[in-house]
Amino acid sequence: MSAKVFDTEEVQGLLKAAANFDGKDGNARFKQILNRLLGNLFKAIDDLDITPDEVWAGVNYLNKLGQDGEAALLAAGLGLEKYLDIRMDAADKAAGLDGGTPRTIEGPLYVAGAPVREGISKIDINPDADAGPLVIHGTVTGTDGKPVVGAVVECWHANSKGFYSHFDPTGAQADFNLRGAVRTDTNGKYEFRTLMPVGYGCPAQGATQQLLNEIARHGNRPAHVHFFVTSGSHRKLTTQFNIEGDPLIWDDFAYATREELIPPVTEKTGGAALGLKADAYKDIEFNFTLTPLLQGKDNQLVHRRRATAAA
Ligand code: MBD
Ligand code: FE
């Protein structure tokens, strides 16, 4: 091991200067976070004797990550997004907020702007020969058990190739294919008529998969459907369910699976009358329980950059 320099006056001074810690201008919070993260990096370099070649490999990796537009994908794969959920869950518990449908990560593939329909929306726009019909429906209630009328349930999921519209490299999907939004009816009910998704896999040549290969991890998710549930009177819920029986349910590269988020899939007939592509279809009932605002506010609303498209 080479000599340790982290605790020297020179390095501590360098860290402070780099974050302009002693300057009175600039964003104090930003300085605090930058100084800490940079310090932790410097310390790791010292402790693990990380070589210049390794440091430059890391710097170059960040360039590729940005070029590939995969920073948020990597955040999911490294458990950073899950970690934020763990922290929000703990904060909820400390505030005495329980009984709601568990949250789970948003992931990087939401697109804002899906047309909002009343009660029911058929969201499969493009034909997909390998996907059978699926109806997803349920009730939105508060923790008091009362239906939440006029809540907006948004959903988004992959097609039979594991691709999401807007991010589909094959260009096979229209802007809001397999993405929808419905307002709950007077009984708090919502319904999506759609097609069965399959699991997602990270782009094989992308920066995320490159990192995962280095540590012998896969970059796959079980088949799943994402939701936002929004209402003026309750906190926004960000969640997903997994499709029961998928072999990756407990081996999700993004760590989003939770016991309460694996609803049963049932076989039904009568799809023709619902406008589905076959009479036999799969049905998933999934009810949402929303938690109340805290002192009139949603204390856990997450702001992040999201894609948008025009409906
Ligand atoms: C997905 O579909 C997803 O939900 C996450 C979290 C990461 C990559 C693809
Ligand atoms: Fe997803």
Side-chain angles (χ1 to χ4, degrees):
M1 279 299 220
S2 48
K4 300 301 175 198
V5 300
F6 182 74
D7 288 322
T8 61
E9 240 173 82
E10 183 184 13
V11 170
Q12 291 307 308
L14 176 62
L15 268 174
K16 284 215 159 89
N20 195 19
F21 220 62
D22 296 330
K24 66 174 179 12
D25 296 330
N27 180 328
R29 174 68 174 166
F30 194 90
K31 288 182 187 186
Q32 177 191 32
I33 294 170
L34 181 62
N35 175 259
R36 173 61 176 270
L37 291 180
L38 197 59
N40 285 5
L41 175 63
F42 282 21
K43 183 145 176 42
I45 291 172
D46 220 23
D47 287 349
L48 305 178
D49 201 16
I50 300 176
T51 67
D53 291 14
E54 289 168 333
V55 169
W56 294 118
V59 169
N60 292 339
Y61 179 79
L62 291 180
N63 268 335
K64 175 167 168 63
L65 184 65
Q67 262 161 17
D68 295 348
E70 289 193 0
L73 181 62
L74 183 67
L78 290 182
L80 177 60
E81 200 172 0
K82 172 66 181 180
Y83 182 60
L84 299 179
D85 277 356
I86 293 170
R87 297 195 73 246
M88 287 191 279
D89 285 355
D92 283 357
K93 202 168 168 214
L97 276 174
D98 50 18
T101 300
R103 65 166 55 81
T104 198
I105 67 168
E106 172 180 332
L109 303 176
Y110 172 76
V111 178
V116 183
R117 308 239 155 82
E118 299 302 320
I120 300 176
S121 187
K122 185 169 188 298
I123 61 172
D124 56 310
I125 300 166
N126 304 111
D128 186 342
D130 298 325
L134 168 67
V135 174
I136 301 166
H137 62 100
T139 306
V140 180
T141 60
T143 47
D144 56 5
K146 294 199 181 113
V148 181
V149 179
V152 175
V153 180
E154 291 177 87
C155 113
W156 66 103
H157 65 80
N159 68 6
S160 72
K161 309 288 174 280
F163 294 136
Y164 285 73
S165 63
H166 193 86
F167 303 98
D168 186 337
T170 72
Q173 302 183 61
D175 255 351
F176 285 99
N177 192 43
L178 312 182
R179 297 176 185 274
V182 297
R183 217 182 305 276
T184 56
D185 69 12
T186 53
N187 298 311
K189 296 210 176 294
Y190 80 93
E191 179 171 323
F192 292 105
R193 298 179 185 165
T194 189
L195 299 173
M196 186 59 90
V198 308
Y200 170 92
C202 289
Q205 305 309 321
T208 303
Q209 191 58 55
Q210 182 190 331
L211 179 145
L212 295 172
N213 289 345
E214 202 67 40
I215 55 175
R217 280 183 53 198
H218 71 71
N220 301 316
R221 301 207 59 210
H224 61 278
V225 178
H226 297 261
F227 298 95
F228 283 155
V229 188
T230 315
S231 91
S233 52
H234 293 78
R235 299 193 307 165
K236 175 177 172 179
L237 172 67
T238 300
T239 196
Q240 311 174 24
F241 62 62
N242 287 339
I243 305 297
E244 187 188 49
D246 191 299
L248 287 181
I249 279 194
W250 294 108
D251 191 15
D252 177 8
F253 101 103
Y255 310 104
T257 304
R258 304 183 72 150
E259 205 69 71
E260 306 88 334
L261 304 177
I262 314 170
V265 180
T266 58
E267 310 274 347
K268 294 221 170 162
T269 55
L274 301 177
L276 308 183
K277 74 184 217 183
D279 200 60
Y281 67 96
K282 299 219 187 318
D283 180 278
I284 295 176
E285 178 179 1
F286 195 69
N287 301 315
F288 297 103
T289 306
L290 303 184
T291 50
L293 299 171
L294 255 187
Q295 277 117 34
K297 276 207 207 130
D298 190 336
N299 62 325
Q300 302 208 337
L301 250 193
V302 173
H303 298 98
R304 57 186 281 181
R305 201 164 145 186
R306 298 181 172 98
T308 23

